[in-house]
Amino acid sequence: RRHNYMSDEFTEKAIQLTRRGKFTESLDLLEKALSYNSGNVNALVTAGVRANLGQYHLAMKDFEEALLLDPECVNARKYLESTREQASKVRDISTITAEARRQEASREREADGVSAVPTGVSSAGLISKVRSSLASGDPEWSYVLDDDEGEEVQT
């Protein structure tokens, strides 16, 4: 009984902190609450505050664990779904952002006259092509480089 009381007390204080936007402090109290009673569904649902810190995977695990203990827990189910949606949006945005950065870098290389290495070309093959192009004076492969002292050298 004492363990349940302490777990509930820590959970209630964590809920108050969560409402004030103090998510990290809330999680500290929730860890204490769960150390007293690992089956405290309310603490597990509240621990889903991890989603507010971008820890979607951990938040979903908390909600899923709460649902294992209480399959009828409406808040756990509702928050699990909204966290899944949010995590999906973040993944989509990350994927789009990474692709946009890759395309931008490719455009910048092309604008600088540097094309991407074709698929299937080995490093050794590319180095050999660059060396022979430089030796022949091919301007496509002529760059300004820094020598060991940081001075620009025309190749």
Side-chain angles (χ1 to χ4, degrees), residues 91-115:
R91 275 192 301 273
D92 291 347
I93 291 169
S94 295
T95 301
I96 291 167
T97 302
E99 178 62 19
R101 286 182 181 149
R102 188 192 65 73
Q103 289 177 2
E104 180 62 26
S106 179
R107 280 193 296 274
E108 287 174 3
R109 284 190 305 272
E110 288 173 8
D112 290 340
V114 178
S115 60

Side-chain angles (χ1 to χ4, degrees), residues 43-64:
L44 287 166
V45 172
T46 306
V49 72
R50 296 176 203 275
N52 294 337
L53 299 170
Q55 300 170 352
Y56 302 109
H57 181 71
L58 294 174
M60 288 186 284
K61 282 178 62 177
D62 292 330
F63 297 135
E64 289 166 350

Side-chain angles (χ1 to χ4, degrees), residues 119-136:
T119 306
V121 174
S122 69
S123 301
L126 182 62
I127 291 170
S128 175
K129 178 173 174 36
V130 170
R131 284 184 179 151
S132 64
S133 294
L134 286 172
S136 71

Side-chain angles (χ1 to χ4, degrees), residues 143-155:
Y143 298 97
V144 174
L145 303 174
D146 289 341
D147 67 8
D148 291 338
E149 284 112 34
E151 299 292 319
E152 287 188 355
V153 178
Q154 184 71 39
T155 59

Side-chain angles (χ1 to χ4, degrees), residues 3-128:
H3 288 294
N4 287 342
Y5 172 78
M6 293 300 296
S7 183
D8 290 343
E9 285 295 308
F10 282 122
T11 301
E12 187 54 43
K13 289 178 182 176
I15 290 169
Q16 292 170 12
L17 287 170
T18 298
R19 288 180 179 148
R20 295 194 332 238
K22 297 186 176 194
F23 306 126
T24 303
E25 295 90 337
S26 175
L27 282 172
D28 290 341
L29 291 180
L30 291 165
E31 286 179 22
K32 290 179 183 177
L34 291 166
S35 73
Y36 281 102
N37 178 5
S38 61
N40 184 334
V41 173
N42 197 22
L44 287 166
V45 172
T46 306
V49 72
R50 296 176 203 275
N52 294 337
L53 299 170
Q55 300 170 352
Y56 302 109
H57 181 71
L58 294 174
M60 288 186 284
K61 282 178 62 177
D62 292 330
F63 297 135
E64 289 166 350
E65 189 173 341
L67 286 168
L68 285 175
L69 295 167
D70 180 4
E72 304 301 315
C73 183
V74 175
N75 282 340
R77 189 167 311 286
K78 176 175 71 173
Y79 296 145
L80 176 60
E81 287 306 312
S82 66
T83 301
R84 282 181 178 153
E85 289 173 16
Q86 185 63 29
S88 177
K89 288 177 186 174
V90 168
R91 275 192 301 273
D92 291 347
I93 291 169
S94 295
T95 301
I96 291 167
T97 302
E99 178 62 19
R101 286 182 181 149
R102 188 192 65 73
Q103 289 177 2
E104 180 62 26
S106 179
R107 280 193 296 274
E108 287 174 3
R109 284 190 305 272
E110 288 173 8
D112 290 340
V114 178
S115 60
V117 177
T119 306
V121 174
S122 69
S123 301
L126 182 62
I127 291 170
S128 175

